[in-house]
Amino acid sequence: MNFSDPTHQELNPANNSKKRELLFTFQSIIVTGLLALTAIAFFFYNDLAIVKGIKVIFAPFLSVVPLLFVLSILRELHHGFREGNYNREEILKFSAVALAVTMVFTALTYLLSEIDALEILLAAIMAILCVIFFLKSKIKDILGMSIITGIAEGILIYMIFLF
Amino acid sequence: MQLKQLNKAFLIMTGVSVTVFLYLVFLGYDDIKSVRDVLKIVAAILFPVPVIFFIRFIWIERFLPQNSEEAKLKNQKPAILLLVITVIIVLIILQLLEWMHLSLEKNLIFAHLMNSTAISGYVLNYILYNNLKTNGILSGLLMALAIHVFFFIN
């Protein structure tokens, strides 16, 4: 925890926010992949039926249209990634946020697995994806990172222990 | 340069995970009966990756420490001590689990989870953080798992 430790000097101090952004991008790609996997798994495993064809086509619009609108009118909510360190309180706080989101998403994935119509599942997955894109493009901060980490871990925990 | 290191670490981690995954799949081939089992295994292998990204996001300053002679000399003894202690403790825990009839072979998902977590932590620590004490603990964990699987399972 001793950041002034001479053996832990950083080599290029100007680049940290870029590295953070890269990690954030990686994390959101992982979550997107996981959500796709979840959708495919539930679709194959639960033998979901399409109840109404036209609903499937319109399911994504439910969340995509508001997302695009919000993205176009909203300015950036946070001031990007920080160059320096996070202090102990911030680390604890955002780890707690990640843990809470993990639990919420374990429960939410369980609810997704209970849905028995394809079009509702599709709409729900698209809504979560839209939340992730919103976080990715507007909340470029440690808060966004902890929420995305929580979502990924929640899905994984459900897949490993409960599915 | 750091970006290259990060990419290298990520690729190596993925490669090792895939290798271990293939090995364990062959090992537990009889246990895989449905798509559900495959999904569980994939999830168990992916599990540590988001956590590691998150940790690295927070602790970015401790990225790539200088691998100096003094640091090595200073950390040699505690690292060796931690290695020995971890090996002994993990071996005892695994023996206890065997004794309680909860062997690793019967809980392949947990074996996957432990393996992927330990290996990705080990590789990332080795390449990115170079913390010798952590290296001792993680090496101890992996050594204990290897010793257990090779010598105590018949």
Side-chain angles (χ1 to χ4, degrees), chain B residues 71-84 133:
Chain B
K72 280 189 179 172
L73 274 178
K74 204 178 82 185
N75 285 307
Q76 262 170 2
K77 266 188 192 161
I80 293 171
L81 202 69
L82 281 170
L83 173 79
V84 175
K133 286 175 195 161

Side-chain angles (χ1 to χ4, degrees), chain B residues 70-131:
Chain B
E70 304 94 77
K72 280 189 179 172
L73 274 178
K74 204 178 82 185
N75 285 307
Q76 262 170 2
K77 266 188 192 161
I80 293 171
L81 202 69
L82 281 170
L83 173 79
V84 175
I85 292 172
T86 322
V87 169
I88 293 168
I89 290 176
V90 175
L91 274 180
I92 291 172
I93 291 173
L94 287 170
Q95 282 300 312
L96 275 177
L97 285 177
E98 286 279 317
W99 186 64
M100 289 159 67
H101 301 289
L102 294 166
S103 71
L104 279 181
E105 281 177 327
K106 285 173 192 152
N107 299 297
L108 215 60
I109 292 296
F110 284 97
H112 278 299
L113 202 59
M114 276 170 80
N115 219 328
S116 61
T117 309
I119 286 175
S120 17
Y122 183 75
V123 171
L124 266 173
N125 180 57
Y126 190 76
I127 292 172
L128 297 180
Y129 298 100
N130 217 349
N131 186 330

Side-chain angles (χ1 to χ4, degrees), chain A residues 23-155:
Chain A
L23 283 166
F24 193 60
T25 311
F26 267 136
Q27 195 85 304
S28 43
I29 291 170
I30 287 178
V31 183
T32 311
L34 276 175
L35 275 170
L37 196 76
T38 317
I40 294 167
F42 288 156
F43 176 58
F44 278 111
Y45 210 81
N46 297 343
D47 288 327
L48 292 182
I50 300 169
V51 182
K52 264 197 164 178
I54 193 165
K55 275 191 181 175
V56 176
I57 298 165
F58 280 94
F61 289 102
L62 270 182
S63 39
V64 171
V65 173
L67 172 78
L68 290 177
F69 180 69
V70 168
L71 285 187
S72 64
I73 60 166
L74 212 63
R75 61 184 177 79
E76 299 231 341
L77 293 175
H78 284 259
H79 303 293
F81 297 100
R82 195 187 290 186
E83 282 293 338
N85 287 311
Y86 293 101
N87 59 37
R88 189 184 286 265
E89 283 108 68
E90 277 172 315
I91 292 175
L92 283 176
K93 193 175 114 194
F94 288 105
S95 301
V97 169
L99 205 68
V101 178
T102 303
M103 286 191 254
V104 169
F105 261 81
T106 311
L108 213 66
T109 318
Y110 169 72
L111 287 180
L112 285 182
S113 73
E114 295 291 298
I115 295 173
D116 53 358
L118 177 63
E119 63 268 15
I120 304 174
L121 182 73
L122 198 65
I125 297 264
M126 283 307 290
I128 298 172
L129 262 183
C130 286
V131 170
I132 289 160
F133 280 115
F134 177 74
L135 289 169
K136 169 86 185 71
S137 51
K138 290 294 168 192
I139 307 186
K140 288 180 179 172
D141 200 3
I142 183 169
L143 179 66
M145 184 67 174
S146 40
I147 293 174
I148 284 190
T149 307
I151 295 174
E153 288 299 317
I155 295 171

Side-chain angles (χ1 to χ4, degrees), chain A residues 7 10 16 20 85 153 163, chain B residues 36 40 47 50 57 61 65:
Chain A
T7 58
E10 50 177 323
N16 283 339
R20 284 210 163 100
N85 287 311
E153 288 299 317
F163 183 51
Chain B
R36 183 187 286 230
K40 275 181 190 283
F47 185 79
F57 184 91
E61 292 291 318

